[in-house]
Amino acid sequence: MPLKDVAVRNAKPTAKPRKLSDGGGLHVLIQPTGGKLWRLAYRFAGKQKALALGVYPAVSLEEARRRRDEAKKLLARSIDPSVQRKADKQAGKDSSFRAVAQEVIAKQEREGRAQATLSKKHWLLDFAYPTFGDRPVAEITARDLLALLRKIEGRGLYETARRLRSTCGMVFRYAIATGRAERDPSMDLRGALTTPQVSHRATIVDPKSIGALLRAIDGFDGQSTTRAALRLAAYVFARPGELRHAEWTEFEFDKALWKIQAEKMKMKMRRPHRIPLARQPLAILRGLQEITGNGRWLFPSVRTSTRPISEGFEADLAKELDDLAFGSHTLFS
């Protein structure tokens, strides 16, 4: 019969050690001195063994059960949990998903990945940390990952869910390479996520249609920063991601120049990118400077000034331009 916390809390010591069983090999060993030790009895390679799971009440009944279940998962993969624990200690590395993910990001930083790429990885992983960031990476299952991705899809963020699956797969594969996991559960989810529908439209080349688009942008009455982004996009032909990560220090108003840092560019174009600015975008920038010019970013996040606006802004901006071009703009109104 499963234990209840009150039974463990009120258990009294006797002259000899005694056990209170919770099931599945988990029990609490009551010492004559009053100490209460969690133990897991199990068999491995035909031998009876025991694994220490902590001391009550520092380790609660709920936590002891979680540790028992983690050990059972290792046993199901023919891994001795006692040996795995020793290996983890000898490696001297944290085996949590968060720790492995941070090692992956640090490795990519050493390899010279663009800051925009690293920021995007951080942003994606922030979705995963609250759910299983502190759990051992080897214990995260395809079901755990799918449950998280389904929540993200429930918010309509289909592309974000797909990118997060790929990023988590990168973390799992690094964990395998460093001896902290045996397999990549993200591979089990191929085909399980919703594929975003993409509507391809022809490029506008007709001068009259281009003029109509520019007039639609000028008539946009949504947020002032979004209006500035739309107008800039029409003049500088930058990617939405480049606009999102634009910093005030990159603009030389006296030279009418926008210098995008080399590390922000893609690997194949790892060199500074210079965009000349006509009088119209300069006027837009001076107006925007009155709103966000005291900070680092042209388009700071609404939550914190230390980061640019979220990645979703890129998709929204691209869609808004598309809708404006074809006579329907509703996203920011």
Side-chain angles (χ1 to χ4, degrees), residues 118-234:
L118 298 174
S119 296
K120 188 172 293 185
K121 297 298 183 186
H122 279 298
W123 181 78
L124 285 168
L125 289 167
D126 281 343
F127 284 98
Y129 291 154
T131 302
F132 47 66
D134 296 323
R135 289 177 53 188
V137 66
E139 304 309 320
I140 300 169
T141 66
R143 181 179 298 179
D144 296 329
L145 181 57
L146 182 60
L148 169 63
L149 298 177
R150 285 281 186 254
K151 289 181 181 178
I152 296 173
E153 285 190 329
R155 296 164 54 186
L157 303 176
Y158 301 122
E159 185 59 30
T160 298
R162 288 167 61 84
R163 292 185 182 186
L164 179 57
R165 183 191 79 87
S166 176
T167 301
C168 287
M170 176 182 65
V171 175
F172 292 129
R173 290 189 294 275
Y174 186 82
I176 294 171
T178 56
R180 284 172 284 182
E182 296 295 323
R183 62 185 308 276
D184 173 11
S186 73
M187 298 298 290
D188 298 333
L189 303 184
R190 286 179 296 183
L193 301 181
T194 302
T195 301
Q197 293 187 357
V198 180
S199 299
H200 296 285
R201 288 173 173 169
T203 301
I204 299 176
V205 294
D206 178 57
K208 291 184 179 180
S209 298
I210 295 175
L213 172 60
L214 294 177
R215 286 192 295 273
I217 291 175
D218 284 337
F220 178 77
D221 60 356
Q223 297 178 10
S224 57
T225 52
T226 304
R227 183 170 184 268
L230 288 167
R231 296 178 69 198
L232 281 173

Side-chain angles (χ1 to χ4, degrees), residues 4-36:
K4 293 185 178 180
D5 185 74
V6 65
V8 181
R9 185 170 63 250
N10 295 334
K12 303 299 181 183
T14 57
K16 294 182 178 181
R18 65 188 183 97
K19 299 178 182 178
L20 295 178
S21 179
D22 182 61
L26 176 65
H27 60 270
V28 59
L29 182 65
I30 312 297
Q31 299 280 62
T33 57
K36 300 172 183 179

